């Protein structure tokens, strides 16, 4: 009876440890494989992304503002 209890306790502990390892390794498997292969990591540049997004927003605002006719142009036509 004690052997069954030991198998259940240690089996559960082993299963939960394996689950924790797998759940943390699998999402980062690509990064791990790149590091093992010696490929450089992609640089994280949040400010460069922000600058590109701000430029896109500014261009969209500029293009949408110039496309709308003003009231004076409507009355003249």
């Amino acid at each position: 009876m004690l052997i069954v209890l030991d198998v259940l306790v240690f089996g559960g502990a082993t299963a939960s440890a394996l689950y924790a390892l797998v759940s943390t390794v699998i999402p980062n498997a690509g990064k791990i494989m790149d590091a093992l292969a010696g490929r450089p990591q992609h640089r994280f540049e949040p400010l460069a992304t922000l600058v590109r997004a701000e430029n896109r927003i500014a261009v969209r605002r500029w293009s949408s503002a110039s496309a709308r006719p003003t009231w004076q142009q409507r009355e003249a036509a």
Side-chain angles (χ1 to χ4, degrees):
M1 185 71 176
L2 238 96
I3 293 175
V4 173
L5 185 63
D6 287 342
V7 168
L8 287 175
V9 168
F10 289 112
T14 303
S16 63
L18 288 174
Y19 174 74
L21 283 172
V22 168
S23 65
T24 56
V25 169
I26 293 296
N28 298 316
K31 292 179 185 178
I32 293 169
M33 295 306 289
D34 287 343
L36 291 175
R39 285 177 248 162
Q41 291 182 348
H42 300 289
R43 292 178 38 196
F44 180 64
E45 298 177 351
L47 292 179
T49 305
L50 180 63
V51 167
R52 283 193 300 272
E54 289 288 334
N55 287 338
R56 279 195 310 265
I57 291 169
V59 167
R60 287 179 184 162
R61 285 184 182 161
W62 174 79
S63 66
S64 67
S66 63
R68 282 189 229 141
T70 61
W71 287 102
Q72 297 167 350
Q73 290 175 342
R74 286 186 187 174
E75 291 174 3

